[in-house]
Amino acid sequence: KEKMRKLSYFLMLSVSILTLVSCSRVEPNYEGVLMENYGRNGKSDFKVVTGKQNTMWAGVQLYQVPMFETSGDCDGVKINAKDAGKFYVDPVYQYQPIRGKGVEIVFNYKHFGVAEPEVMMDNIEKGILNRIVVNAYREEARNYSTDSLMNNLNAFESKVQERLREEFANKFFELKEVTSGLTPPESMEKAIEARNNAIQEANRVKNELEV
């Protein structure tokens, strides 16, 4: 009887330890997504969860999607106006996943390593979001001539941002802010500099004459 009692105690202790070890908790400001049945039935095998989750069973995995605001940084690229004027953009943007869309993010971007929340957003940025941002600047720039783009920068930036808000939402993210870091063509920079110098020189001569 004593042996049976010890064996029962050992089994209960083992089960308790196994249960504790196999439980995962959804971290604060993350959206937990539990996958069951290895995801064989598609999106129906994924659900949003909170608190502790038992992941000891085969085919069960807990994903954690960060819900906090983060920043993306595209590589700088050249874009062309419709008259072939070349500008340079180096976009930076702020965004965050949309609360309640954790299942869609995990299901659609599982191949980007969403099991590792510390790198998942970097992977999604490089694989999806950066390309969307760069393409928006490239395509919108083709609606302007070189001079028109320089004279309507605010309208251009607003148009790109409006477009990106919609495209990010379609990918289950909310765009907070985006800046282009736009630089005009070198020839135009020189022309602007020459014009500013001419204005300064004219003002200097005018002041001397008044004196």
Side-chain angles (χ1 to χ4, degrees), residues 8-203:
S8 297
Y9 175 77
F10 177 76
L11 288 173
M12 289 175 63
L13 183 61
S14 298
V15 170
S16 298
I17 292 173
L18 183 60
T19 301
L20 286 172
V21 170
S22 60
C23 278
S24 299
R25 178 185 293 277
V26 179
E27 297 295 330
N29 210 18
Y30 283 74
E31 189 159 276
V33 176
L34 192 69
M35 179 188 73
E36 299 175 317
N37 193 35
Y38 297 100
R40 288 170 178 158
N41 297 315
K43 198 184 293 186
S44 61
D45 282 336
F46 296 78
K47 63 181 179 181
V48 173
V49 294
T50 58
K52 283 186 178 180
Q53 300 297 319
N54 191 333
T55 55
M56 68 179 293
W57 309 114
V60 175
Q61 185 167 354
L62 177 66
Y63 297 95
Q64 304 210 43
V65 181
M67 286 290 129
F68 42 81
E69 187 173 318
T70 187
S71 61
D73 189 356
C74 305
D75 292 333
V77 296
K78 287 183 178 179
I79 60 174
N80 296 328
K82 64 182 178 182
D83 58 354
K86 296 185 183 298
F87 291 78
Y88 180 83
V89 292
D90 189 10
V92 177
Y93 57 95
Q94 297 289 127
Y95 73 103
Q96 68 183 102
I98 297 173
R99 179 71 68 175
K101 294 296 184 180
V103 168
E104 284 77 7
I105 290 172
V106 169
F107 184 75
N108 285 278
Y109 307 129
K110 200 165 177 288
H111 56 295
F112 285 115
V114 293
E116 302 176 69
E118 64 275 10
V119 299
M120 66 174 291
M121 299 315 299
D122 286 341
N123 293 342
I124 292 174
E125 286 169 22
K126 293 173 184 175
I128 300 289
L129 302 182
N130 286 356
R131 177 169 46 83
I132 290 175
V133 172
V134 169
N135 284 344
Y137 278 105
R138 278 178 171 156
E139 292 174 15
E140 288 299 327
R142 297 190 188 114
N143 296 323
Y144 295 81
S145 65
T146 303
D147 289 341
S148 176
L149 183 50
M150 284 301 301
N151 293 328
N152 297 279
L153 277 178
N154 288 338
F156 170 69
E157 296 279 12
S158 296
K159 192 70 176 176
V160 171
Q161 189 165 110
E162 180 184 344
R163 169 179 172 158
L164 287 176
R165 286 191 194 282
E166 182 177 345
E167 293 190 12
F168 269 54
N170 290 337
K171 300 297 182 183
F172 320 113
F173 298 100
E174 180 185 0
L175 179 70
K176 297 291 188 178
E177 185 180 357
V178 60
T179 54
S180 66
L182 185 142
T183 304
E186 185 178 352
S187 59
M188 182 165 284
E189 280 189 308
K190 290 179 178 178
I192 293 172
E193 184 180 359
R195 183 192 64 188
N196 291 337
N197 289 340
I199 292 173
Q200 290 175 5
E201 179 64 16
N203 289 334

